[in-house]
Structure formats: structure tokens, C-alpha cells
Amino acid sequence: MAEKIVRVAAVHAAAPFLDLAAGVERTCEFIREAGRTGARLVVFPETFLPGYPHWIWSHTTKYAAPLFAELFANSIELPSRESAAIGAAARDAGVWVVLGVDEREGGTLYNTQAYFGPDGRLVARHRKLHPTNVERTVWGRGDGQDVFVVDTGFARLGGLICFEHSMDLPRYALATLGEQIHVAAWPAINATHADPNAGDFDHYSTTLAQAHAICAQTYVIVSQGMVTQEIIDRLDVAPGPDAPTLGGGLTGFVGPNGQWLAEPHRDTERVVTADLDLGVIPFAKYFADGAGHYARPDVFSFGIDRTPQTPLSRPVGPVEPIESAEAGADGTGIVLSVH
């Protein structure tokens, strides 16, 4: 019989800012700490490693360029030596890990959730389907390959990043795939403005988490980052409404009834844990199974196109030299062409 009570952990913290090597070390420390609590799963905030590009909300593109260059240089590749170290920590701790990273592939960065199994393998990655607003100056888009759930053996696990939670179709897709535990990763966006009304951003993360829990009949783990003094110093924003403040973020656990299991943790670094009773999910679905008896597939149709989106849409053969039409009599003047 499958387990019903599962302990999970969520990290409320910030890694060393724009420092991949130090960030990997800190990530592994948090993974091992979570393992010592008996957690089967530990989740991290959006782009925990090597940090969220807060400057996009306060700097012009011109003045943000040096920070972007540093972010690019310190972003992680998947797989890589750094991801192998994180996988080793997951194996040592015996936990599943969902880690928010800035992922580098070629010349593009992606806002990614990386999934590691307790055997140390990099199992899957979810790239944010559509970066929000000025985030598009930093990250590329994901595609249909990024819509999935992972069978951990104790639950079906999925996740989305930040304002993806406002996109109804990705959330519904995860529900139809049988999601039981959902990772909702966010940055400490409520600390990026000194405006006292900035805390209203909490309304988005909490409302969307509670709505998804109710609509998908799933547990939701909310993991938000925080702003450290190091981040404030590096951003160097003049005092005023755009200046970030220390702390921020909220982290906690929402049940399938849309209620917080405990008051969310805020502002200070901590690994928080909860015991999730998966046995209550069938009772939530008994009331209204949005991907089952409470759906209307005769009225609404829905699908996921998992075709990779790539500029190179057709396979190509080898590059072969051909003689240029302007070649001299001696055969010089060679150009290359792709056939």
C-alpha cells in the first residue's frame, strides 16, 4: 500500500549572489539539512542558484548589462559538474530535490526548475513557459516538453514558476496528469520595493497557490526567496520606492482544501517542513475532481504539444565544400554550403 504521510521541506533563503561555486555548496548544505529532518522532498525558490535578476525591475537595460553578464557566466548548465554535485547531495540525503536555477544553454538563459532523484540522477527540468514582463530581457521561453509530472514513488510531483500560476492551461495540464504535490516557486518580489504597499504582492502568490490547491485537489508547496544585504549592496539602488528591502518572501504549505497547514514563514533563512497526508486527496476529488468527474471533455478539448521548439526544425547533412561560381581557373575560391 502506498505511503500516505510524507514529510516535505521547503527552503526559505538566498544563495550567495551571482556566485555559482559558492551557491552550489550552499545548495548541497540545505539538501543535507533537509535530509536530516526526515524529508522525502526538498524544494527551493525560483532561480535560487545563482540568484534572481532583481535589477530588471530597477535598472535600465544599459546599466543592467554588466549584471546580466555576471549572471550569464555564473548560470548552471544541465547536466554539468555542478549539477552532478547537487545530485550527489540528493543521493547522500536520500531526498528528491526541486531546485530553481538560471540555466544556460548555448547563448540563452532559462528560468528552470531542475528535478533530482534520491539516486542522484537529474530526472527532469521545467523551463518557465513564458518569462513575465521585463524578465524577457533575461530568459528565453520553455516549450511543451516542460509540462509534466514526475512519479516519485510516494506522489506525483509537478511545479510551476511564479506568474505561470496565472496561466490556467498549464495548471490544468498538471491536474490532468494526476499531480498530487505541486511546487510553486517565487522570488522575494515583495522585498524589491520600499513602497509599503509592495507587500500586496503576497496576495498573488498566496491566492494563486490556494486556488491551484482547490482546483487541482493537490498539495502546494510555496517556496519564495529572500533578499540579503549582499543583494542590496550589489544592486546599488538609490533610496526611494525602487530600493529593495531586507528579507521578504513567504514559504509554506497549502492543503487540497486551500488552507495553509501552518502560518507561512517570512523574512529569515530557514528550512521549513510539513507532513502531508496524501490520504485526504481522494476526499477532495470526491467533492469535485476537476480532471475527472467534474470535467466536461464533451464541451472543452485540450492537449499538450510536446514538440521541441528549435530554430533548426529539419535535420541537416554534413557541411561539404563546393566550388564557387567565381572560382578561378586553378579551382581557387571555395565556399561552404549546407546540403
Side-chain angles (χ1 to χ4, degrees), residues 35-78:
R36 289 192 293 270
T37 70
R40 303 289 302 279
L41 163 69
V42 56
V43 307
F44 288 80
E46 176 179 353
T47 56
F48 180 78
L49 187 67
Y52 182 82
H54 296 285
W55 60 81
I56 59 177
W57 305 105
S58 58
H59 291 49
T60 65
T61 304
K62 174 182 177 180
Y63 292 105
L67 287 165
F68 173 81
E70 197 168 350
L71 175 67
F72 188 88
N74 282 274
S75 291
I76 193 169
E77 295 182 331
L78 298 175

Side-chain angles (χ1 to χ4, degrees), residues 251-273:
T251 295
F253 310 90
V254 179
N257 62 356
Q259 298 297 311
W260 290 98
L261 302 188
E263 188 69 21
H265 177 75
R266 298 172 182 268
D267 293 323
T268 59
E269 182 177 292
R270 182 177 298 177
V271 176
V272 294
T273 62

Side-chain angles (χ1 to χ4, degrees), residues 93-123:
V95 298
W96 282 85
V97 175
V98 181
L99 173 65
V101 299
D102 294 279
E103 178 200 358
R104 185 178 69 236
E105 182 176 70
T108 298
L109 299 183
Y110 298 92
N111 184 339
T112 298
Q113 286 176 329
Y115 289 66
F116 296 86
D119 59 0
R121 291 185 305 121
L122 176 61
V123 175

Side-chain angles (χ1 to χ4, degrees), residues 123-134:
V123 175
R125 70 180 176 197
H126 166 77
R127 290 172 171 171
K128 189 173 185 180
L129 289 168
H130 204 66
T132 307
N133 201 274
V134 291

Side-chain angles (χ1 to χ4, degrees), residues 2-338:
E3 298 175 64
K4 288 190 176 180
I5 308 296
V6 175
R7 177 163 292 181
V8 297
V11 174
H12 189 90
F17 194 50
L18 304 182
D19 186 336
L20 180 59
V24 168
E25 184 176 345
R26 193 73 182 104
T27 300
C28 293
E29 290 172 357
F30 279 124
I31 291 170
R32 296 187 181 101
E33 180 180 345
R36 289 192 293 270
T37 70
R40 303 289 302 279
L41 163 69
V42 56
V43 307
F44 288 80
E46 176 179 353
T47 56
F48 180 78
L49 187 67
Y52 182 82
H54 296 285
W55 60 81
I56 59 177
W57 305 105
S58 58
H59 291 49
T60 65
T61 304
K62 174 182 177 180
Y63 292 105
L67 287 165
F68 173 81
E70 197 168 350
L71 175 67
F72 188 88
N74 282 274
S75 291
I76 193 169
E77 295 182 331
L78 298 175
S80 62
R81 180 180 60 186
E82 291 81 10
S83 70
I86 294 164
R91 184 178 62 247
D92 292 345
V95 298
W96 282 85
V97 175
V98 181
L99 173 65
V101 299
D102 294 279
E103 178 200 358
R104 185 178 69 236
E105 182 176 70
T108 298
L109 299 183
Y110 298 92
N111 184 339
T112 298
Q113 286 176 329
Y115 289 66
F116 296 86
D119 59 0
R121 291 185 305 121
L122 176 61
V123 175
R125 70 180 176 197
H126 166 77
R127 290 172 171 171
K128 189 173 185 180
L129 289 168
H130 204 66
T132 307
N133 201 274
V134 291
E135 288 180 351
R136 294 194 280 276
T137 65
V138 174
W139 296 310
R141 301 186 304 176
D143 58 29
Q145 299 176 100
D146 300 294
V147 182
F148 59 84
V149 298
V150 173
D151 189 350
T152 65
F154 56 81
R156 295 179 68 81
L157 173 67
L160 294 172
I161 301 168
C162 197
F163 233 63
E164 280 187 310
H165 290 90
S166 71
M167 302 169 71
D168 291 335
L169 295 183
R171 291 194 302 100
Y172 187 65
L174 297 181
T176 63
L177 294 171
E179 184 184 60
Q180 295 171 298
I181 299 176
H182 177 85
V183 178
W186 295 76
I189 197 71
N190 56 359
T192 56
H193 302 281
D195 185 341
N197 295 319
D200 288 347
F201 195 90
D202 290 350
H203 177 70
Y204 291 113
S205 56
T206 57
T207 301
L208 291 170
Q210 291 172 310
H212 184 64
I214 294 170
C215 294
Q217 302 87 49
T218 183
Y219 282 96
V220 176
I221 305 174
V222 178
S223 180
Q224 284 194 359
M226 54 179 287
V227 172
T228 61
Q229 189 61 49
E230 177 191 23
I231 294 172
I232 293 173
D233 293 343
R234 290 300 311 279
L235 295 177
D236 194 26
V237 178
D242 294 325
T245 56
L246 199 62
L250 62 88
T251 295
F253 310 90
V254 179
N257 62 356
Q259 298 297 311
W260 290 98
L261 302 188
E263 188 69 21
H265 177 75
R266 298 172 182 268
D267 293 323
T268 59
E269 182 177 292
R270 182 177 298 177
V271 176
V272 294
T273 62
D275 293 325
L276 309 186
D277 182 358
L278 302 179
V280 307
I281 292 178
F283 293 97
K285 291 189 176 294
Y286 169 65
F287 184 78
D289 183 2
H293 63 78
Y294 207 61
R296 287 296 305 273
D298 56 323
V299 178
F300 303 103
S301 61
F302 176 68
I304 304 170
D305 183 356
R306 286 206 168 97
T307 305
Q309 293 187 9
T310 171
L312 192 61
S313 58
R314 293 185 307 232
V316 297
V319 176
E320 299 177 358
I322 61 172
E323 190 173 69
S324 168
E326 285 134 15
D330 59 356
T332 59
I334 301 298
V335 298
L336 297 181
S337 178
V338 178

